[in-house]
Amino acid sequence: MTAAASSDADLISAHAAGDPYAFSELVKRHRDRMWAVALRTLRDPEEAADALQEAFISAFRAASTFRAESQVTTWLHRIVVNACLDRMRRRQTRPTVPLPEAGPGEPVAPRDAMSDRETSLMVQQALMELPEEQRAPIVLVDVEGYSVAETAKMLGIAEGTVKSRCARGRAKLAKVLGHLRNRIADANVPADGVNVQEQRQWEGR
């Protein structure tokens, strides 16, 4: 069986047994999704890249401890989220989200595109203002689409704690982003990974 045809669990086992290529295949399969989680959690490309590197190093070293009690992707997500939270605890200043600049000769962005960008930045800023303990569950449940049970396993907390933290976080986001409700409803388009359904979830529906 080739590495590409092996299951994630098989690759972890092969890596723990000394296969020099198994972990690289695992990273290749999941790095895009893990990168998305890190970026949405930290909102800073450099911080996200560093957190992802730390997470994969941790996973590389801890592969022998994987007991197949959860899916490999759940295990990886937990490591990535924890790496992101560790970086957030270590830094004292809140990162900024730079506006992309148009290059020479490029047309000015249409008004709708500029409005979407502003909305996205406001949502990102609101997420960053949440306490870390509320932001991580909201990113996993409302943005990444994981269930409460899966999120609880990733964060190592009770399901009821996930629900209560999400509820408190959504209430805070609803207050901060309430003025965007009509704008998002009228546009009915995604804003840099944050869609109408996610916004409604944050507003408590």
XYZ file of all heavy atoms in Angstrom, residues 134-190:
424
model
N -13.311 32.281 24.514
C -14.531 32.319 23.708
C -14.224 32.272 22.218
O -14.982 31.704 21.439
C -15.332 33.586 24.042
C -15.874 33.611 25.455
C -16.515 34.937 25.826
O -16.740 35.787 24.969
N -16.797 35.127 27.104
N -13.114 32.884 21.813
C -12.796 32.943 20.386
C -12.533 31.556 19.800
O -13.031 31.230 18.720
C -11.573 33.824 20.150
C -11.302 34.044 18.655
C -9.960 34.658 18.389
N -9.615 35.657 19.384
C -8.396 36.161 19.501
N -7.431 35.743 18.728
N -8.130 37.078 20.403
N -11.758 30.735 20.504
C -11.408 29.421 19.963
C -12.646 28.549 19.707
O -12.782 27.979 18.618
C -10.430 28.707 20.892
N -13.595 28.421 20.660
C -14.800 27.631 20.367
C -15.613 28.202 19.221
O -16.151 27.451 18.393
C -15.592 27.680 21.681
C -14.587 27.968 22.727
C -13.571 28.853 22.069
N -15.716 29.528 19.136
C -16.499 30.132 18.063
C -15.859 29.880 16.707
O -16.543 29.586 15.719
C -16.693 31.642 18.326
C -17.776 31.836 19.377
C -17.083 32.376 17.043
C -18.086 33.257 19.718
N -14.532 29.989 16.624
C -13.848 29.708 15.360
C -14.097 28.264 14.935
O -14.418 27.977 13.777
C -12.333 29.980 15.484
C -11.581 29.403 14.283
C -12.062 31.478 15.571
N -13.993 27.339 15.883
C -14.154 25.924 15.543
C -15.602 25.570 15.204
O -15.860 24.848 14.236
C -13.662 25.054 16.702
C -12.149 25.065 16.921
C -11.789 24.343 18.218
C -11.434 24.417 15.747
N -16.562 26.085 15.973
C -17.966 25.721 15.763
C -18.599 26.525 14.637
O -19.199 25.967 13.711
C -18.771 25.908 17.072
C -20.262 25.658 16.824
C -18.254 24.964 18.149
N -18.486 27.855 14.700
C -19.213 28.712 13.770
C -18.486 28.943 12.456
O -19.128 29.146 11.424
C -19.509 30.063 14.419
C -20.525 29.940 15.546
O -21.221 28.914 15.593
O -20.621 30.862 16.372
N -17.162 28.950 12.488
C -16.403 29.205 11.261
C -15.970 27.905 10.593
O -16.165 27.714 9.398
C -15.177 30.099 11.546
C -14.381 30.353 10.267
C -15.611 31.425 12.163
N -15.392 26.997 11.390
C -14.905 25.743 10.820
C -15.989 24.687 10.683
O -15.828 23.728 9.939
C -13.760 25.199 11.675
C -12.509 26.053 11.638
C -11.917 26.150 10.243
O -11.903 25.141 9.526
O -11.479 27.245 9.868
N -17.094 24.837 11.403
C -18.213 23.911 11.243
C -18.129 22.633 12.048
O -18.838 21.662 11.758
N -17.284 22.596 13.074
C -17.191 21.397 13.892
C -18.345 21.351 14.885
O -18.900 22.375 15.277
C -15.854 21.359 14.640
C -14.709 20.950 13.758
C -13.944 21.907 13.113
C -14.427 19.602 13.542
C -12.910 21.530 12.272
C -13.393 19.221 12.710
C -12.632 20.194 12.076
O -11.624 19.818 11.247
N -18.682 20.137 15.292
C -19.752 19.973 16.262
C -19.261 20.383 17.649
O -18.051 20.507 17.891
C -20.214 18.513 16.304
O -19.192 17.692 16.846
N -20.215 20.561 18.549
C -19.853 20.908 19.922
C -19.012 19.789 20.537
O -18.030 20.046 21.239
C -21.124 21.152 20.755
C -20.784 21.255 22.249
C -21.831 22.424 20.286
N -19.387 18.541 20.251
C -18.643 17.406 20.808
C -17.205 17.376 20.292
O -16.263 17.152 21.071
C -19.358 16.097 20.461
N -17.034 17.587 18.996
C -15.687 17.597 18.423
C -14.851 18.736 18.992
O -13.673 18.562 19.308
C -15.766 17.712 16.900
C -16.315 16.481 16.211
C -16.601 16.725 14.738
O -17.014 17.854 14.386
O -16.420 15.792 13.943
N -15.481 19.905 19.127
C -14.777 21.065 19.667
C -14.366 20.821 21.110
O -13.252 21.194 21.521
C -15.664 22.315 19.568
O -15.971 22.564 18.193
C -14.965 23.534 20.151
N -15.240 20.192 21.875
C -14.913 19.889 23.268
C -13.681 18.997 23.362
O -12.800 19.208 24.210
C -16.112 19.227 23.946
N -13.602 18.004 22.470
C -12.440 17.116 22.471
C -11.174 17.864 22.079
O -10.109 17.659 22.664
C -12.677 15.957 21.504
C -13.707 14.944 21.971
C -13.845 13.811 20.978
C -14.882 12.797 21.435
N -15.047 11.695 20.443
N -11.271 18.734 21.088
C -10.101 19.477 20.629
C -9.543 20.385 21.711
O -8.327 20.523 21.860
C -10.461 20.319 19.399
C -10.756 19.533 18.150
S -11.158 20.633 16.775
C -12.101 19.524 15.740
N -10.448 21.019 22.457
C -10.024 22.000 23.456
C -9.852 21.397 24.847
O -9.387 22.075 25.763
C -11.028 23.156 23.510
C -11.199 23.960 22.229
C -12.244 25.053 22.416
C -9.873 24.565 21.782
N -10.267 20.141 24.979
C -10.129 19.483 26.271
C -11.043 20.041 27.343
O -10.676 20.116 28.522
N -12.259 20.440 26.955
C -13.230 20.986 27.904
C -14.561 20.266 27.720
O -14.751 19.527 26.755
C -13.429 22.508 27.717
C -13.867 22.817 26.278
C -12.145 23.257 28.061
C -14.087 24.313 26.013
N -15.482 20.492 28.646
C -16.791 19.833 28.573
C -17.650 20.445 27.471
O -17.468 21.610 27.100
C -17.507 19.969 29.911
N -18.581 19.653 26.940
C -19.469 20.149 25.888
C -20.291 21.338 26.377
O -20.525 22.299 25.637
C -20.391 19.014 25.400
C -19.651 17.919 24.662
C -20.589 16.854 24.126
O -21.775 17.157 23.915
O -20.133 15.711 23.911
N -20.733 21.265 27.626
C -21.496 22.374 28.172
C -20.682 23.655 28.237
O -21.221 24.758 28.036
N -19.391 23.516 28.479
C -18.512 24.684 28.503
C -18.383 25.288 27.115
O -18.377 26.516 26.957
C -17.122 24.290 29.037
O -17.264 23.691 30.332
C -16.216 25.505 29.146
N -18.283 24.425 26.093
C -18.228 24.914 24.710
C -19.490 25.715 24.402
O -19.431 26.823 23.856
C -18.088 23.743 23.714
C -18.228 24.251 22.276
C -16.749 23.054 23.891
N -20.652 25.167 24.761
C -21.918 25.842 24.470
C -22.011 27.198 25.173
O -22.419 28.188 24.573
C -23.091 24.951 24.900
C -23.246 23.681 24.067
C -24.395 22.833 24.595
C -24.539 21.547 23.803
N -25.636 20.698 24.342
N -21.624 27.225 26.441
C -21.748 28.472 27.191
C -20.769 29.522 26.679
O -21.110 30.707 26.577
C -21.520 28.216 28.679
O -20.207 27.748 28.938
N -19.548 29.099 26.328
C -18.565 30.060 25.819
C -18.976 30.586 24.453
O -18.794 31.771 24.156
C -17.180 29.410 25.750
C -16.575 29.153 27.120
C -15.194 28.530 27.038
N -14.650 28.310 28.376
C -13.456 27.764 28.610
N -12.692 27.384 27.590
N -13.034 27.598 29.848
N -19.531 29.704 23.615
C -20.021 30.158 22.309
C -21.179 31.140 22.489
O -21.255 32.153 21.790
C -20.466 28.965 21.459
S -19.125 28.026 20.699
N -22.069 30.830 23.412
C -23.221 31.704 23.640
C -22.777 33.085 24.104
O -23.274 34.109 23.619
C -24.164 31.072 24.660
N -21.823 33.127 25.034
C -21.339 34.415 25.522
C -20.605 35.178 24.421
O -20.763 36.391 24.277
C -20.418 34.214 26.731
C -21.143 33.744 27.985
C -20.306 33.959 29.223
N -19.065 33.187 29.188
C -18.942 31.953 29.645
N -19.989 31.341 30.181
N -17.791 31.327 29.609
N -19.813 34.436 23.640
C -19.081 35.082 22.551
C -20.009 35.622 21.479
O -19.816 36.734 20.976
N -21.039 34.860 21.135
C -21.994 35.309 20.127
C -22.749 36.548 20.601
O -23.043 37.447 19.809
C -22.983 34.189 19.812
C -22.391 33.034 19.012
C -23.342 31.857 18.982
N -22.738 30.699 18.340
C -23.118 29.448 18.580
N -24.086 29.207 19.449
N -22.530 28.449 17.960
N -23.076 36.572 21.898
C -23.785 37.740 22.431
C -22.925 38.997 22.306
O -23.417 40.072 21.944
C -24.157 37.494 23.890
N -21.631 38.857 22.587
C -20.730 40.007 22.469
C -20.571 40.427 21.012
O -20.563 41.615 20.689
C -19.368 39.665 23.066
C -19.396 39.492 24.571
C -18.033 39.106 25.114
C -18.085 38.911 26.620
N -16.774 38.481 27.176
N -20.455 39.435 20.113
C -20.329 39.753 18.691
C -21.594 40.422 18.165
O -21.519 41.312 17.315
C -20.039 38.476 17.891
C -18.641 37.887 18.047
C -18.563 36.521 17.374
C -17.580 38.811 17.464
N -22.749 39.982 18.668
C -24.006 40.576 18.212
C -24.072 42.057 18.555
O -24.564 42.870 17.769
C -25.193 39.836 18.832
N -23.559 42.419 19.746
C -23.564 43.825 20.141
C -22.627 44.650 19.266
O -22.955 45.756 18.837
C -23.156 43.951 21.605
C -24.172 43.402 22.586
C -23.692 43.571 24.024
C -24.698 43.015 25.014
N -24.211 43.148 26.413
N -21.450 44.071 18.998
C -20.446 44.811 18.225
C -20.823 44.886 16.751
O -20.609 45.909 16.084
C -19.064 44.135 18.370
C -18.027 44.810 17.472
C -18.615 44.184 19.822
N -21.426 43.811 16.235
C -21.693 43.709 14.796
C -23.156 43.903 14.437
O -23.536 43.690 13.286
C -21.231 42.333 14.285
C -19.752 42.005 14.494
C -19.462 40.575 14.079
C -18.867 42.966 13.703
N -23.968 44.316 15.390
C -25.393 44.471 15.120
C -25.689 45.416 13.974
O -26.612 45.194 13.186
N -24.859 46.463 13.826
C -25.105 47.438 12.767
C -24.804 46.876 11.389
O -25.165 47.478 10.375
C -24.230 48.678 12.994
C -22.769 48.407 12.900
N -22.068 47.723 13.881
C -21.868 48.711 11.931
C -20.802 47.631 13.525
N -20.653 48.215 12.360
N -24.164 45.694 11.337
C -23.842 45.098 10.039
C -24.946 44.168 9.547
O -24.891 43.700 8.419
C -22.542 44.281 10.138
C -21.281 45.049 10.483
C -20.103 44.083 10.553
C -21.008 46.136 9.456
N -25.942 43.916 10.367
C -26.953 42.913 10.010
C -27.625 43.233 8.682
O -27.726 42.391 7.803
C -28.002 42.810 11.120
C -29.054 41.743 10.850
C -30.030 41.647 11.997
N -29.342 41.371 13.247
C -29.974 41.306 14.422
N -31.283 41.499 14.480
N -29.301 41.046 15.516
N -28.074 44.461 8.528
C -28.759 44.831 7.293
C -27.821 44.794 6.102
O -28.192 44.372 5.012
C -29.372 46.229 7.426
C -30.522 46.251 8.408
O -31.156 45.215 8.661
N -30.802 47.420 8.972
N -26.566 45.234 6.325
C -25.611 45.249 5.212
C -25.343 43.838 4.713
O -25.336 43.575 3.513
C -24.298 45.881 5.665
C -23.281 45.982 4.535
C -21.894 46.361 5.041
N -21.877 47.666 5.671
C -20.763 48.235 6.102
N -19.596 47.612 5.983
N -20.804 49.427 6.666
N -25.155 42.899 5.637
C -24.872 41.524 5.241
C -26.103 40.873 4.634
O -26.027 40.147 3.652
C -24.376 40.714 6.451
C -23.013 41.247 6.890
C -24.266 39.231 6.120
C -22.448 40.547 8.120
N -27.263 41.164 5.188
C -28.498 40.576 4.653
C -28.751 41.066 3.241
O -29.176 40.305 2.365
C -29.671 40.929 5.558
N -28.477 42.348 2.981
C -28.697 42.892 1.646
C -27.705 42.330 0.646
O -28.044 42.001 -0.493
C -28.578 44.417 1.667
C -29.728 45.065 2.437
O -30.757 44.376 2.612
O -29.573 46.230 2.857
N -26.446 42.200 1.099
C -25.412 41.720 0.172
C -25.560 40.228 -0.070
O -25.432 39.749 -1.184
C -24.022 42.022 0.743
N -25.838 39.474 1.018
C -26.026 38.025 0.930
C -24.849 37.336 0.248
O -25.025 36.399 -0.521
C -27.322 37.685 0.189
C -27.747 36.248 0.469
O -27.462 35.709 1.541
N -28.422 35.630 -0.489
N -23.644 37.803 0.511
C -22.446 37.203 -0.078
C -21.435 36.986 1.020
O -21.441 37.682 2.040
C -21.830 38.114 -1.164
C -22.753 38.249 -2.336
C -21.457 39.476 -0.594
N -20.511 35.975 0.843
C -19.477 35.756 1.848
C -18.548 36.949 1.926
O -18.319 37.639 0.946
C -18.733 34.514 1.327
C -19.695 33.867 0.377
C -20.478 34.999 -0.227
